[in-house]
Amino acid sequence: MTSDLRRQLILGAAKRCFARHGYNGTTTKSVAAAAAISEALLFKHFPSKAALYAEILSEECEADPELAVLLEREPSTATLVELIRGMVQYFVEIADGPDQEEAQRLRLMVTSHLDDGEFARLLYAKVEKLIGTVFVASLERAVAAGDAAPPRSEPLNLFWFAHHTVLTAALTRLPATPCLAYGKADDLERQLCEFLLRGIGLNDAAIASHLGRASTPEAKETAIAESA
């Protein structure tokens, strides 16, 4: 069996284990048993349980058709706005949606920061690889188009500042009684998007032009055509 095939076999077994027992209830030993391999062989492909879980989440992100379409778009102001809008919608909807698995993942991310940080570091690295290049390229296009001010320091930091902001906002809404009363979800999404886009450096005219468009397939097709 090739290394790639063995790796996929392990990931398949890990998905079943995590789905059945959750993150805390799954061990590398149980994953190895489900994959019919030794734990030592599993460690040759994945050094830890956190690495296994981070890889599964990364594959899920890459398989998301909406994200895949967005990441294939030409870098532009419109693409930058849609990246921020998508990130805000994802985090805001965690507390409102019926999928408790997403809420548990968010809790796991926070717990990792308070523990050894391994899972958070792995996931940040995968998110950066997946989205970071498109974000930076789109910001550069926005600056060139006169839609944004040039960043004064590392442009990728602006992405992380935006990410951390929405992650924290989502945390306040996880308990049954939210820690903060932000108001209606739609209003919160709009406020967060405007706040983040201004922080990234977009001017009000660009925000009004691109954020004001409905996030529909038709609107996205128009934005794609305009950015080409």
Side-chain angles (χ1 to χ4, degrees):
M1 184 178 293
T2 66
S3 177
D4 287 344
L5 187 58
R6 178 73 70 186
R7 182 183 179 86
Q8 289 306 311
L9 177 68
I10 295 171
L11 285 173
K15 289 177 184 178
R16 295 192 298 274
C17 289
F18 285 127
R20 182 175 302 172
H21 305 293
Y23 183 82
N24 291 331
T26 298
T27 64
T28 52
K29 184 176 182 179
S30 65
V31 173
I37 61 172
S38 68
E39 195 173 11
L41 182 55
L42 183 149
F43 286 139
K44 288 184 178 180
H45 294 272
F46 299 97
S48 65
K49 180 173 73 170
L52 259 174
Y53 197 60
E55 184 67 23
I56 289 172
L57 295 187
S58 176
E59 283 194 351
E60 289 181 1
C61 288
E62 292 174 357
D64 184 335
E66 291 186 7
L67 180 60
V69 169
L70 181 58
L71 295 178
E72 289 175 358
R73 287 173 51 169
E74 281 290 320
S76 67
T77 304
T79 300
L80 181 63
V81 171
E82 286 303 317
L83 279 172
I84 294 299
R85 191 204 307 265
M87 182 165 63
V88 167
Q89 289 176 340
Y90 169 76
F91 278 100
V92 168
E93 290 172 0
I94 286 178
D96 297 330
D99 188 355
Q100 287 303 305
E101 186 176 350
E102 291 292 345
Q104 290 300 324
R105 288 173 178 175
L106 183 57
R107 291 186 174 94
L108 174 61
M109 188 70 167
V110 174
T111 302
S112 179
H113 285 82
L114 300 174
D115 194 7
D116 61 6
E118 180 189 12
F119 175 70
R121 282 193 297 273
L122 288 166
L123 199 56
Y124 283 144
K126 291 183 181 300
V127 170
E128 179 177 335
K129 181 179 179 181
L130 186 63
I131 303 175
T133 301
V134 177
F135 174 87
V136 172
S138 292
L139 180 57
E140 291 174 350
R141 292 288 182 88
V143 171
D147 292 332
R152 297 182 179 180
S153 57
E154 176 58 46
L156 189 60
N157 281 350
L158 298 175
F159 171 78
W160 290 124
F161 296 156
H163 183 279
H164 301 334
T165 298
V166 292
L167 185 149
T168 303
L171 281 177
T172 67
R173 304 176 73 243
L174 275 186
T177 301
C179 304
L180 283 175
Y182 279 122
K184 297 179 180 179
D186 290 344
D187 294 337
L188 176 59
E189 286 185 15
R190 178 78 188 196
Q191 282 186 309
L192 275 171
C193 285
E194 290 178 347
F195 177 80
L196 297 176
L197 291 170
R198 288 193 179 100
I200 288 169
L202 262 66
N203 56 47
D204 286 346
I207 294 173
S209 173
H210 295 284
L211 192 59
R213 299 174 180 176
S215 185
T216 63
E218 293 79 7
K220 289 179 180 179
E221 289 176 5
T222 301
I224 293 171
E226 290 177 357
S227 66

